[in-house]
Every structure is written in structure tokens, then in C-alpha cells.
Amino acid sequence: MVSKEELNGKVLSESDQHKLIWLGTDEQENEGVVQTNQYLIIHKGKGILLDPGGVHLFARVVSAVSRYIPLESIEHILFSHQDPDVSSGIALWMGVTKAKIYISNLWLRFLPHFGIVDNSRIIGIEGLGGKLPVEFHLQCIPAHFLHSTGNYSFYDQESRTLFSGDIGAAVFPKGGQYVLVTDFDSHMKYMIDFHRRYMGSNKVLKKWVQSVYNLPLHYIAPQHGAIFPEAQTKRFLDWLQNLECGIDLLDTIYKQ
Ligand SMILES: [Fe+2]
Ligand SMILES: [Fe+2]
């Protein structure tokens, strides 16, 4: 269960100049809508938002962010991919901050459908990712076809956190949400159906796992479900690289 104090957010790691915050949740907001996680990094007083979410939860996320940092100090917003639960609030976020937006260059032409006005603030990430042109030491790791065709994970070297987007997503039963994974075996049942159907294939999962396996990891922080603390990260990656999914299971979604 998410505790009362956690509903408004939780500081996951904190040092002199660097803070990582999970931005809370709202049971009512999640009624009939896929639950999402939003994250805020504050580095030397400047903010970076990761997958801040759709129009639906904009007001709650704005007030959660404002508890930690003034909106005008948000300088960058990162989108793992183009789905509405990640990025449909983009026009609203551009209205209340002066942030630059980063997303796969495959999705640049699609974003105006969410009501964008200022293209000069939107930066396309090239296929192989790499270091982002921001002062936060964030690395951009390709996660294409997991599930989106133009998809990135982001690695924060300071907090040693891998923001994995839809990879690691869990779907909880009503009232069953928790913030951190403590028992991987029981958590797996909330992840398996989503990963089998949404993720591209085992071949792609293996590629991604290889690219992140040796990173120092304090957390793997997905966009849905619960966060994997250090003790659970290797269990999760090992499970993932052996999972059959997507086109490995074509016969279960096509008749012939
Ligand atoms: Fe997605
Ligand atoms: Fe998602």
C-alpha cells in the first residue's frame, strides 16, 4: 500500500546538490486509467522532469512539483516516448515552464497533435542516444521497440537511477499499489501480462539488458508500477532477459 505520506511524493535519494523525487499518486485519478509514475531531479537548484504525464493528471503533478521547486526552475523535460500517458500534457507543461523538451526524433512530427506551439524548444534525440546536452550528467540509452519504435531510457549518474519508461511496468489491482518492490517473486505477476504483450521481442529485451546490466544501479524507476531498489535490480534484469514476448508469441495473437 502507498502510505498517506507517500501520496504526495517521496524523496528517493538526496545529496548536497542532487535530489531525486518520485512525485506521488492519487487512487481516484487512477480509476479506469493506467497508473503512471513521474520523477523530478533537482540538481544545483535546477529541475528536470521525466515523463511528467498526460493532461489528465497535470494539475496534481504541477502541485507535487511545486512543493520541491518553483516551476520556472524546471529547465528540461524528458520523454521516454510518445504515448499519451507520457507526453500528452506537453503543451500545458510548455505553458507553465520555460523547459526544453527531449524526445526521440521519430516522434517530433507527431507532437503537434498534442497542441504544441513552440518547436524551437523541442529537441529530437538521435537513434543511438548518448549524453544529453544538459548539465545533469544524464545518459540516454536506446530502448527502441520496448515498446515504442523510438524509445529511450535515461540514466542519472548522480543518483545511479535508470528511468526505464514502460520497461518494468506493473499493473496493480485496485488499492494494491506500493512504491518500492520488496518481493520480486510476488511482484512479477503484476508485470508479466504487460511485458508479454507490449514488448517487441526477447531479442530486443536482451539487447537492452546487455546495455544496462553493468551500470551501477541504486534504482530502476519505471513509468508504471513500482520502483526496483538496488537489491531487486539484478533479479529484474535476469527475469527480463529470459522473457518471451511480442513477436516471440505471434501464434497467441494471430489465428494463423
Ligand atoms: Fe507506452
Ligand atoms: Fe506507459
Side-chain angles (χ1 to χ4, degrees):
M1 283 282 287
V2 177
S3 70
K4 256 197 163 166
E5 307 82 71
E6 288 171 330
L7 287 176
N8 287 330
K10 185 180 173 73
V11 175
L12 296 173
S13 88
E14 188 167 12
S15 66
D16 268 3
Q17 304 193 313
H18 199 86
K19 204 173 195 179
L20 167 62
I21 300 138
W22 171 76
L23 288 169
T25 191
D26 177 350
E27 269 267 314
Q28 277 180 340
E29 168 189 288
N30 296 334
E31 197 74 41
V33 179
V34 65
Q35 172 269 332
T36 55
N37 297 316
Q38 301 80 38
Y39 301 99
L40 167 67
I41 294 171
I42 302 174
H43 185 78
K44 296 182 181 169
K46 292 174 179 173
I48 185 162
L49 271 172
L50 294 108
D51 287 351
V55 177
H56 174 67
L57 39 79
F58 177 73
R60 179 186 62 77
V61 181
V62 163
S63 87
V65 169
S66 305
R67 277 186 213 111
Y68 297 96
I69 190 170
L71 291 176
E72 56 270 24
S73 300
I74 302 291
E75 296 203 343
H76 308 282
I77 297 178
L78 310 186
F79 290 137
S80 56
H81 64 297
Q82 84 297 353
D83 269 348
D85 59 317
V86 171
S87 57
S88 68
I90 183 171
L92 297 170
W93 281 107
M94 289 183 86
V96 297
T97 69
K98 51 180 173 26
K100 289 202 164 68
I101 309 276
Y102 301 81
I103 190 167
S104 161
N105 58 2
L106 294 187
W107 298 123
L108 292 177
R109 292 172 303 138
F110 291 73
L111 289 180
H113 286 281
F114 289 140
I116 307 303
V117 283
D118 183 3
N119 278 330
S120 68
R121 285 166 60 193
I122 303 175
I123 295 156
I125 308 169
E126 301 293 326
L128 292 174
K131 268 202 170 159
L132 286 173
V134 295
E135 66 277 30
F136 294 90
H137 310 293
L138 276 159
Q139 214 176 316
C140 197
I141 299 170
H144 308 311
F145 300 107
L146 299 172
H147 63 93
S148 169
T149 40
N151 191 42
Y152 290 95
S153 309
F154 300 105
Y155 179 65
D156 173 20
Q157 292 172 0
E158 294 267 342
S159 66
R160 299 186 166 186
T161 300
L162 179 65
F163 301 94
S164 57
D166 282 336
I167 306 168
V171 181
F172 293 117
K174 195 174 178 211
Q177 187 184 349
Y178 43 86
V179 183
L180 296 172
V181 178
T182 52
D183 177 349
F184 183 80
D185 292 315
S186 72
H187 187 67
M188 202 164 54
K189 62 179 175 296
Y190 301 133
M191 296 193 292
I192 195 149
D193 289 348
F194 178 88
H195 286 75
R196 279 196 177 134
R197 187 63 179 83
Y198 282 78
M199 296 295 143
S201 75
N202 177 262
K203 191 174 177 178
V204 197
L205 280 181
K206 278 201 163 75
K207 279 256 176 230
W208 183 81
V209 170
Q210 272 167 21
S211 67
V212 301
Y213 203 83
N214 293 320
L215 291 172
L217 290 173
H218 283 172
Y219 293 109
I220 294 180
Q223 193 230 347
H224 308 276
I227 297 160
F228 301 88
E230 192 167 1
Q232 307 288 338
T233 56
K234 285 287 186 279
R235 280 291 308 277
F236 167 59
L237 294 175
D238 288 335
W239 172 79
L240 206 59
Q241 69 178 339
N242 290 311
L243 188 74
E244 288 199 319
C245 61
I247 60 171
D248 306 321
L249 305 172
L250 274 189
D251 289 344
T252 65
I253 53 172
Y254 281 89
K255 276 188 179 155
Q256 47 188 353

